[in-house]
Amino acid sequence: MATCPRGCTPAVRLCQRLNRLKTLDDDMMATSLKRCLSTLDLTLLGVGGMVGSGLYVLTGTVAKDMVGPAVIISFIFAGIASLLAAFCYAEFGARIPKTGSAYMFTYVSVGEIWAFLIGWNVILENMIGGAAVARAWSGYLDSIFNHAIQNFTETHIMQWNVPFLAHYPDILAAGILVVASFFISFGVQVSSYLNHIFSTISMVVIVFILVFGFMLAEPANWSQKEGGFAPFGLSGILAGSATCFYAFVGFDVIASSSEEAKNPQKAVPIATAISLGLAATAYILVSTVLTLMVPWHTLDPNSALADAFFRRGYSWAGIVVAVGSICAMNTVLLCNLFSLPRIVYAMAEDGLFFSIFARVNPVTKVPVNAILVFGILMATMALIFDLEALVQFLSIGTLLAYTFVAASVIVLRFQPEKTSDKGTSSTSPNPNAEPSPAPSESQTITEDSGELKQYESFSDKLQLVERQKTEERRGVGQLKAFWEPYLGKLLGDCEPGEVVAVCVLAVIVSSVSLCAVIEFGRNQLQLPLWSFTMLLVIFSLAFVVSMVLIWMHEPQTNNKTFQVPLVPLTPAISILFNVFLMLKLSYLTWIRFTVWIAIGLFVYFGYGIWHSKEGMRELQPKDMAARYVVLPSGSLVQTVQSVQPDGQVDSGHHISPSADSTSEEYAGNR
């Protein structure tokens, strides 16, 4: 095999460091946090994370400015995209019950730098989500008092006219975040108890809105006289879907809480499905009621539902809705402040973020430092940014995280199980420790040629010497036996899971290309019809062929926990949805996102890559290493030698075809 020239060795090592995977402990349930959340707790956390400002504020904003009554269709599209992503989160949350959500899933299956960037974006997602909800919360409360709070702030405190910033500092929004952070720091049970109270009140108010709202509905508000059902056309519906996607981002709080769940294998998938179904139903029905009660073009974006009841003459109902909305927004605040510190904690625990955030309070069993610091940062954002800029910025980070989680599901499904360092490792403190192969495996220790073969471990020897593959089921990540005669020469020699990883990359690239052609081909790029059609066909074929190649490989058949159905189709469609919605966002959102990514790379290369615990684990010295040699006679010889650091040569221990005083011979003849 050709070796890399000395000059490219540093680059190769850097790539290996950037793409190293996280090693999971044998006991997945072991944690320094407290496992006390039930399925009901997780479900209410999910509902609370999704049904908040999106229901009471976003419906009016999107309906008036982007979609019209067709906001119903926008919520359906966004709900479908969220459902596909939720499947992926549910599989990972049940299979890897560790805090960190998308960050942890990417670290386990894709690589370190990608995991850091996803975690960095999830941090942004939660910070912006909390700040946006606090802004909406203060706006609703202000509307009850006829905007007295805003008028007082602008008159007696200050106001400014700066691009991308709010017109005035929202002291009320910042204050509620500081107070909520204080309560969250008391522990997960206090957070869950408060969430139960606010979620119950919110659901009662939603039922009231639906019953009373349908009684006041006027179908004429959907007529052509008022602009029709879809005044902005299909383009408006799709653009609205990209913004409505924000309404469903809260379900990942369930995956983030899996390390504190009593039975995450069952609770996480059930809670994800129920909470997403309830939230989607609530959004669709409430948006229907809202656009039927009053004409869509007269909606108040800041407090659409309460204002609609006020305008129909039921001021008492408007107050009930305002109280319900404040309770609902409190649940979202709690969920954001609950999820954010745990992701920061997971990154700090792995050494990729500052270690001060990895400290857990011994009494409350929560990362107090992360809660307080990021709660204050969130309050600062709510103080100076307006709601619209926050919501647009939020969606792109969320969609990127969902894309990587969907890709990680495919990669991990076709990746062989990694054995732990205990028991099956090639390192052993006892030079005379014998490997214990299964009886069926010992029959395969043969080599037809007379060449001397050297293997790093006994399991490696068994995999490489085995030649009778056609009569056996192929290993995970390898080409299925049925396709071996057709594609064996082309793909048969690849490492298990290697072809799948390349195909997942091809799925992402073809999705981006296909969506870019659909979105920009006929308008901005002004492509002729033949060119537009040809590009659509090429990228569609690349997408389909990549999925077919993935399907031709052996997946894992682990039925102990929930698994996404129809892999790779479901995750691939999720990737396509997410990429398309990302391209519907404004260019200013992409500019802000690029700046945030640049800051994240600075943090990673300045701190994370040097303090990574996976990197430190790689540098730990190993006292003795067992190596296995196949002799021409067919025997297997184990030779134990010292493992030296890079650049040093152990002149006293060489692999020899004969057994010496430190080796032991195992009969492997047929």
Side-chain angles (χ1 to χ4, degrees):
M1 182 178 178
T3 58
C4 179
R6 184 178 298 271
C8 71
T9 302
V12 172
R13 289 181 179 174
L14 177 62
C15 289
Q16 291 174 343
R17 294 172 70 182
L18 296 180
N19 291 283
R20 56 195 167 204
L21 304 179
K22 180 175 175 60
T23 303
L24 295 174
D25 298 329
D26 288 337
D27 186 5
M28 287 283 199
M29 298 295 287
T31 177
S32 58
L33 303 178
K34 185 177 181 180
R35 289 196 179 274
C36 59
L37 297 178
S38 65
T39 303
L40 177 62
D41 295 329
L42 291 177
T43 302
L44 290 178
L45 273 175
V47 172
M50 287 182 279
V51 180
S53 60
L55 188 74
Y56 292 94
V57 178
L58 196 64
T59 48
T61 302
V62 176
K64 181 176 182 180
D65 299 333
M66 305 176 71
V67 187
V71 65
I72 302 167
I73 309 299
S74 294
F75 274 118
I76 292 174
F77 284 169
I80 293 172
S82 298
L83 178 64
L84 297 175
F87 276 142
C88 302
Y89 271 79
E91 173 170 336
F92 270 116
R95 184 173 178 177
I96 306 172
K98 295 292 183 181
T99 192
S101 189
Y103 156 77
M104 180 64 66
F105 308 154
T106 307
Y107 204 172
V108 169
S109 56
V110 179
E112 184 172 285
I113 188 172
W114 309 107
F116 177 86
L117 291 177
I118 291 300
W120 186 247
N121 278 292
V122 172
I123 289 174
L124 178 68
E125 167 196 330
N126 282 276
M127 287 178 62
I128 291 179
V133 172
R135 270 274 175 181
W137 183 93
S138 67
Y140 245 85
L141 187 64
D142 194 25
S143 68
I144 296 177
F145 298 102
N146 197 26
H147 304 290
I149 300 174
Q150 177 182 346
N151 295 333
F152 178 84
T153 303
E154 292 180 345
T155 304
H156 296 90
I157 300 179
M158 66 179 302
Q159 61 176 315
W160 54 66
N161 293 313
V162 181
F164 311 118
L165 299 182
H167 295 298
Y168 66 97
D170 198 333
I171 300 174
L172 185 62
I176 186 61
L177 283 169
V178 173
V179 172
S181 300
F182 176 74
F183 279 107
I184 289 288
S185 64
F186 280 106
V188 62
Q189 287 181 315
V190 174
S191 307
S192 179
Y193 179 70
L194 289 174
N195 184 69
H196 285 196
I197 295 174
F198 290 131
S199 294
T200 302
I201 297 174
S202 176
M203 286 188 285
V204 169
V205 172
I206 289 172
V207 172
F208 167 78
I209 291 171
L210 295 178
V211 173
F212 197 34
F214 274 117
M215 292 172 60
L216 300 175
E218 295 181 358
N221 289 326
W222 283 7
S223 65
Q224 288 296 327
K225 180 181 178 181
E226 300 292 347
F229 180 74
F232 297 93
L234 180 61
S235 177
I237 292 174
L238 295 177
S241 297
T243 304
C244 289
F245 197 82
Y246 157 72
F248 298 100
V249 301
F251 71 77
D252 63 348
V253 70
I254 299 174
S256 299
S257 310
S258 59
E259 192 165 338
E260 291 161 287
K262 295 177 183 176
N263 185 8
Q265 285 76 17
K266 291 184 178 180
V268 170
I270 293 173
T272 301
I274 294 175
S275 61
L276 188 62
L278 289 175
T281 302
Y283 275 109
I284 293 169
L285 292 179
V286 168
S287 58
T288 302
V289 165
L290 178 63
T291 53
L292 283 173
M293 284 179 61
V294 295
W296 60 270
H297 52 81
T298 64
L299 292 171
D300 181 0
N302 294 321
S303 55
L305 279 168
D307 182 69
F309 281 104
F310 274 114
R311 289 169 54 194
R312 293 299 301 270
Y314 298 93
S315 56
W316 61 271
I319 294 174
V320 170
V321 172
V323 171
S325 70
I326 290 173
C327 290
M329 293 178 203
N330 284 338
T331 64
V332 180
L333 281 178
L334 290 172
C335 289
N336 278 282
L337 286 168
F338 183 90
S339 181
L340 173 59
R342 283 152 179 81
I343 294 164
V344 174
Y345 161 79
M347 296 175 68
E349 182 74 9
D350 291 333
L352 300 185
F353 208 52
F354 305 112
S355 59
I356 188 175
F357 298 124
R359 298 175 186 172
V360 175
N361 186 284
V363 178
T364 60
K365 299 293 184 182
V366 294
V368 176
N369 291 340
I371 291 172
L372 296 180
V373 170
F374 282 88
I376 292 173
L377 289 175
M378 197 182 294
T380 304
M381 295 184 69
L383 186 70
I384 61 176
F385 288 107
D386 67 352
L387 181 62
E388 184 179 354
L390 291 173
V391 171
Q392 282 268 330
F393 203 4
L394 170 65
S395 296
I396 190 168
T398 307
L399 290 166
L400 185 68
Y402 289 177
T403 300
F404 267 84
V405 170
S408 299
V409 165
I410 304 176
V411 171
L412 203 60
R413 181 70 64 87
F414 292 87
Q415 194 176 77
E417 290 281 359
K418 293 182 175 62
T419 56
S420 65
D421 291 338
K422 303 175 183 178
T424 58
S425 175
S426 61
T427 61
S428 173
N430 182 7
N432 296 322
E434 295 186 6
S436 55
S440 60
E441 290 177 331
S442 63
Q443 302 295 326
T444 66
I445 307 179
T446 60
E447 185 68 52
D448 295 335
S449 65
E451 297 179 10
L452 183 68
K453 297 289 184 182
Q454 176 178 300
Y455 303 93
E456 290 293 332
S457 68
F458 188 74
S459 59
D460 289 344
K461 185 261 173 290
L462 295 181
Q463 290 179 3
L464 294 172
V465 173
E466 179 64 50
R467 291 293 181 266
Q468 299 173 348
K469 298 178 180 178
T470 55
E471 298 179 2
E472 301 177 3
R473 185 181 183 276
R474 307 300 303 276
V476 173
Q478 294 181 320
L479 199 64
K480 291 180 180 178
F482 177 82
W483 300 102
E484 179 70 24
Y486 309 101
L487 299 173
K489 292 183 179 179
L490 182 63
L491 304 176
D493 294 333
C494 297
E495 292 292 326
E498 183 179 357
V499 176
V500 172
V502 174
C503 289
V504 169
L505 179 61
V507 166
I508 295 175
V509 173
S510 59
S511 297
V512 173
S513 303
L514 180 61
C515 293
V517 170
I518 294 174
E519 179 64 20
F520 308 116
R522 296 292 287 172
N523 296 326
Q524 285 87 340
L525 298 180
Q526 296 182 348
L527 295 175
L529 181 60
W530 67 268
S531 177
F532 178 78
T533 305
M534 183 182 68
L535 290 175
L536 286 182
V537 171
I538 291 174
F539 294 132
S540 299
L541 283 176
F543 183 84
V544 173
V545 169
S546 299
M547 283 199 299
V548 170
L549 285 175
I550 294 171
W551 173 76
M552 289 179 177
H553 289 74
E554 290 286 356
Q556 291 183 8
T557 55
N558 175 24
N559 296 320
K560 296 179 181 178
T561 59
F562 172 79
Q563 288 191 316
V564 178
L566 301 176
V567 173
L569 179 62
T570 302
I573 296 299
S574 177
I575 291 172
L576 194 63
F577 261 102
N578 297 334
V579 169
F580 182 76
L581 292 177
M582 287 173 71
L583 294 180
K584 298 296 292 186
L585 297 173
S586 67
Y587 74 94
L588 287 176
T589 302
W590 280 94
I591 293 174
R592 297 171 192 149
F593 174 73
T594 303
V595 172
W596 180 252
I597 289 291
I599 297 172
L601 290 173
F602 179 79
V603 173
Y604 175 74
F605 285 106
Y607 181 89
I609 194 172
W610 308 106
H611 295 83
S612 169
K613 289 188 177 179
E614 287 301 320
M616 294 178 182
R617 184 180 285 112
E618 292 175 357
L619 296 176
Q620 289 178 352
K622 298 178 177 61
D623 296 332
M624 304 296 290
R627 305 178 75 86
Y628 298 87
V629 177
V630 182
L631 300 181
S633 62
S635 299
L636 179 69
V637 173
Q638 177 195 28
T639 302
V640 180
Q641 70 178 73
S642 300
V643 177
Q644 301 291 336
D646 291 342
Q648 299 183 19
V649 179
D650 182 9
S651 59
H653 299 278
H654 295 285
I655 296 299
S656 171
S658 61
D660 55 21
S661 59
T662 62
S663 65
E664 224 175 73
E665 184 177 34
Y666 300 94
N669 297 327
R670 287 178 288 185

